[in-house]
Amino acid sequence: MRASPLFALTATISTAYSQVYQGFNYGSVFTDNSPILQQNYQDRFNTAKQLKGTSGFTSARLFTMIQAGTTNSPTQAIPAAIATKTSLLLGLFLSSTDDAFNNELAALSSAISTYGQQFVDLIIGISVGSEDLYRISPIGIENLSGAGDSPDQVVSRINAVRQRISGTIAKGKPVGHVDTWTAYVNSSNSAVIDASDFVGMDAYPYFQTTQENSIENSANLFFEAYNATVGVAGGKPVWITETGFPVSGKTANLGVPSLTNAKTYWDQVGCRVFGSITTFWYTLQDAFPSTPNPSFGIVGTSLGTTPLYDLSCPDKSSTSSPSTSSSSSTASQNIGGGVRGSSATASEPTPQAEESTTLSPGGGPSPTPAQPEPTGEPAPSPPVTATQLSPGQTTLATVTTGPDGVLTVPASSCPTGLSSDFQYPHLIVGVDKSKPDTAFETSYNAHFSPTVSSIFNFDIPSTYTGRNCALLFLFPTRDNLETSNFTLSGSGGINVARLASPATSQTTYNNKPAVAKDLKTIPSLQPGNSYFIAAGPCSVGARLSYQREFLGLR
């Protein structure tokens, strides 16, 4: 049996989302390498705010702090942002010499002292680097993607930026990194996530030429990438820092640039994340004075508020949309068909390779293949029968606390979203007693059969202090799913147990942690039901591991 329903641990007190921003990526030079100047930036920022069919594009992501054509003068995007009240995700370019990085630091310091509070108030975050980890990966090197930085180097420079602003009015601004999602799910890069206040994720299905990257499957590929990144982010905010679909250019496997396909991608990805997740689209304009191949701009060579294709979003009531929920008070959201922490289309424990993109400080994607890798302890609850769920609903069962403190799962909800704060599994590993010494490493799916069990790790954030936590197993019907699927053969149920210690990517059947306590037996699994496993005080700061194993399937 292969299943991708939601196995979640949810807290009973909801927390607020962090503020959500949306905007475009802005380079430092035009396609002829001439510098973009203050008035050019102002024109672009104002155009973004007034684009027909849209609203809320009031932010900008920059790739460098240095004005093109200078050594270390601050970018003229800053006074343009002040004039237009455009919030900024700043960027410092890393993959170069120490002197070049020191010039980035000098430009940052100069901008703070020159423009003061009116500039600092616009900073939503500072990105230290862009796709540096990808460029040193084996496939990045093979594809001559340029100089990169090691995880240690990126961490060192994140710390250098944090130190540089510590004695200024910009102290406390979020400092993080931008890279391909495949770089983040590679566990050798985990130190960069640990050092970051936010995780900036780049994903371009168009460039995923080793996969089925037609426009019909592009949204699925994107949400798999986002969900995989959230799965390793440890509850930190995951911002979409680059995505888009080309309006013209060469065909990449099944990815065909066109205005129609760009509109489809906007509808199926952009319209589903705008207003819910901080997002920087690629891009407003990339075709001046010449048009690159491929070209992603939603306006052409002439800058204007009329886009090349319709940017109005479909009526939410008439289209399917993913559920979005926060995984901590700073809200990494995991979306796409109600599956959290497990991508439903990857059927084996080892993730597949994909293609992604790199950017220079000038800001322009080039296809370069990337390589992926991949709560308080609930007390046992008395036997609880499944809550039958209504197929027509669009939210998951919500866990609430009644007057007696007992956690209950209300009926008439459908397992495609959670309305209270929750944690999805941050690690899923399969173990097979027919291959007792085989480590299958990280999987994005749960598998169980007469020989195979799945183990799930949950990391309980400090924001859950003083709360109760509930462990839930939510099993949707297929018609509730959009970007995921499951296979159910035969009949039977599962047993859920808490393990004595956390699993790792090297866990096998023979070395898996011992069972500390059996929590619940579900004798019969049926799609369309919510199963309540256990509840109790949240074990703040703990990493808890649970095993879900076969019971009587035929």
Side-chain angles (χ1 to χ4, degrees), residues 188-209:
S188 67
N189 296 324
S190 62
V192 174
I193 295 175
D194 295 340
S196 297
D197 298 320
F198 66 88
V199 174
M201 182 210 75
D202 296 351
Y204 291 88
Y206 165 75
F207 289 122
Q208 294 180 219
T209 56

Side-chain angles (χ1 to χ4, degrees), residues 59-405:
S59 298
R61 179 196 170 211
L62 308 178
F63 294 93
T64 178
M65 287 301 304
I66 300 173
Q67 174 60 30
T70 74
T71 300
N72 55 21
S73 297
T75 172
Q76 292 181 22
I78 294 171
I82 293 171
T84 59
K85 295 181 172 56
T86 298
S87 54
L88 296 172
L89 173 56
L90 302 177
L92 284 78
F93 192 67
L94 289 193
S95 297
S96 189
T97 64
D98 288 343
D99 286 345
F101 177 64
N102 288 334
N103 285 332
E104 292 279 357
L105 289 175
L108 174 62
S109 295
S110 177
I112 295 170
S113 61
T114 300
Y115 299 106
Q117 197 66 52
Q118 60 180 343
F119 163 50
V120 171
D121 288 344
L122 295 174
I123 300 173
I124 67 176
I126 303 172
S127 170
V128 184
S130 180
E131 299 190 356
D132 308 271
L133 301 174
Y134 159 69
R135 287 195 290 272
I136 65 163
S137 69
I139 296 181
I141 294 170
E142 179 183 340
N143 285 275
L144 305 176
S145 59
D149 273 332
S150 69
D152 289 345
Q153 289 172 312
V154 174
V155 169
S156 175
R157 289 175 170 179
I158 287 174
N159 291 335
V161 170
R162 200 171 277 127
Q163 177 63 32
R164 178 62 65 102
I165 65 174
S166 64
T168 74
I169 56 175
K171 178 181 179 180
K173 290 294 182 179
V175 180
H177 178 68
V178 168
D179 225 299
T180 62
W181 75 273
T182 54
Y184 289 122
V185 299
N186 183 332
S187 59
S188 67
N189 296 324
S190 62
V192 174
I193 295 175
D194 295 340
S196 297
D197 298 320
F198 66 88
V199 174
M201 182 210 75
D202 296 351
Y204 291 88
Y206 165 75
F207 289 122
Q208 294 180 219
T209 56
T210 62
Q211 295 174 278
E212 203 280 288
N213 68 331
S214 68
I215 191 60
E216 291 79 12
N217 196 45
S218 288
N220 292 349
L221 293 178
F222 173 82
F223 289 123
E224 288 174 14
Y226 183 81
N227 288 351
T229 305
V230 171
V232 297
K236 295 185 177 183
V238 176
W239 296 347
I240 301 165
T241 40
E242 289 177 46
T243 195
F245 201 91
V247 297
S248 64
K250 63 183 180 181
T251 295
N253 189 32
L254 301 178
V256 181
S258 71
L259 295 177
T260 298
N261 287 348
K263 163 63 174 172
T264 297
Y265 191 77
W266 177 276
D267 288 350
Q268 295 183 354
V269 175
C271 293
R272 295 168 69 175
V273 299
F274 296 147
S276 298
I277 302 168
T278 291
T279 301
F280 295 92
W281 201 259
Y282 196 86
T283 189
L284 176 66
Q285 184 188 43
D286 64 357
F288 181 83
S290 59
T291 301
N293 182 358
S295 174
F296 287 76
I298 63 174
V299 300
T301 302
S302 298
L303 189 66
T305 59
T306 300
L308 295 175
Y309 53 90
D310 181 12
L311 300 181
S312 59
C313 288
D315 183 353
K316 301 278 187 182
S317 64
S318 63
T319 60
S320 299
S321 66
S323 55
T324 60
S325 301
S326 66
S327 63
S328 75
S329 60
T330 50
S332 291
Q333 298 171 45
N334 189 298
I335 53 185
V339 177
R340 288 164 173 76
S342 56
S343 167
T345 59
S347 59
E348 298 301 324
T350 304
Q352 298 176 345
E354 71 154 7
E355 283 196 315
S356 190
T357 62
T358 60
L359 282 141
S360 67
S366 58
T368 47
Q371 184 178 16
E373 303 275 356
T375 31
E377 179 192 330
S381 63
V384 178
T385 57
T387 301
Q388 185 64 41
L389 302 162
S390 171
Q393 300 295 320
T394 57
T395 58
L396 268 173
T398 303
V399 177
T400 57
T401 303
D404 57 359

